Amino acid sequence: ASLYIPKGHSKQEKEILQPDQIKRLLQPSDLWYAPLFHFLVITGMRPGEALGLQVDDIKGDRVFIRRSVNAKGLITEGKNENARRMIPLGSLAMGILRNTIRRNEELNLHTKWIFCDIHGDQGSQSTMRNHWLKLKEERGLSGSIYSLRHTFISMTKSVLPEQTIKDIVGHSVSMD
């Protein structure tokens, strides 16, 4: 019997940001998607899930992940059956959401999207990626946008039970 690894999956070590990089990441920035990057590193969400968040997905201190925006700009139900989920948010994550919604309102964008584009329309992965590359260069950061998810998982491994982390990030019981 041989082991089959689906396309896009890798057995390599996941890249994570180091503490000094996280501090540099979380510093204020004028880049439109900087709040999204801050949100990703403290929630472990997939980038497309954060782009898919709408104001109505927030209920108290919880966010309901109901959709994802893929690289082609299409709205999907998410990567797998575990992707649609509810996650509790701490005060830092809630603050990022509130500040981003307030920014959008102050700019009169009249949008349902939290991490919208500069016109209030659904955000795009390509623009998000371009902003990441710029921030990465400016701040001396490593990795991809997805590294923010891996960083969250790495940071929480010592303080949360494995199953809780899997529930938060939308992994199945059997997934590493």
Side-chain angles (χ1 to χ4, degrees):
S2 64
L3 175 66
Y4 170 72
I5 300 175
K7 182 180 175 185
H9 288 73
S10 135
K11 289 170 48 173
Q12 316 179 256
E13 196 67 26
K14 305 293 186 201
E15 188 163 7
I16 61 168
L17 274 65
Q18 297 305 305
D20 61 312
Q21 291 181 307
I22 296 168
K23 287 178 189 173
R24 291 194 305 271
L25 167 70
L26 294 175
Q27 292 172 357
S29 170
D30 291 333
L31 284 174
W32 186 259
Y33 282 119
L36 174 102
F37 304 139
H38 299 170
F39 188 73
L40 292 175
V41 79
I42 62 171
T43 64
M45 269 191 206
R46 295 176 180 94
E49 292 172 342
L51 283 177
L53 287 178
Q54 296 180 358
V55 175
D56 289 346
D57 295 331
I58 303 169
K59 305 290 182 212
D61 64 351
R62 302 180 189 297
V63 67
F64 290 80
I65 302 169
R66 299 180 169 124
R67 71 197 68 74
S68 184
V69 176
N70 70 18
K72 295 178 181 179
L74 301 175
I75 297 173
T76 70
E77 290 188 1
K79 183 177 178 178
N80 56 43
E81 66 275 358
N82 301 308
R84 294 173 65 89
R85 62 195 186 281
M86 177 278 300
I87 59 172
L89 298 177
S91 60
L92 185 56
M94 285 301 302
I96 292 168
L97 293 181
R98 284 189 197 105
N99 290 340
T100 303
I101 292 166
R102 186 179 314 113
R103 173 198 69 184
N104 297 343
E105 290 170 350
E106 289 171 356
L107 293 172
N108 293 314
L109 295 180
H110 307 290
T111 183
K112 63 184 175 183
W113 303 101
I114 296 173
F115 297 109
C116 61
D117 70 10
I118 61 170
H119 306 290
D121 298 322
Q122 168 189 305
S124 78
Q125 291 222 13
S126 61
T127 303
M128 177 181 59
R129 188 171 27 265
N130 290 339
H131 285 217
W132 173 251
L133 293 174
K134 187 172 183 177
L135 189 67
K136 186 175 153 176
E137 184 178 324
E138 285 176 5
R139 305 269 170 99
L141 306 175
S142 62
S144 65
I145 296 170
Y146 224 79
S147 299
L148 303 175
R149 179 173 166 81
H150 300 149
T151 300
F152 168 82
I153 293 168
S154 177
M155 289 187 313
T156 56
K157 283 195 317 193
S158 64
V159 294
L160 292 175
E162 183 178 347
Q163 188 55 52
T164 301
I165 296 170
K166 287 181 178 186
D167 291 343
I168 291 170
V169 300
H171 279 183
S172 66
V173 173
S174 63
M175 187 177 275
D176 287 339

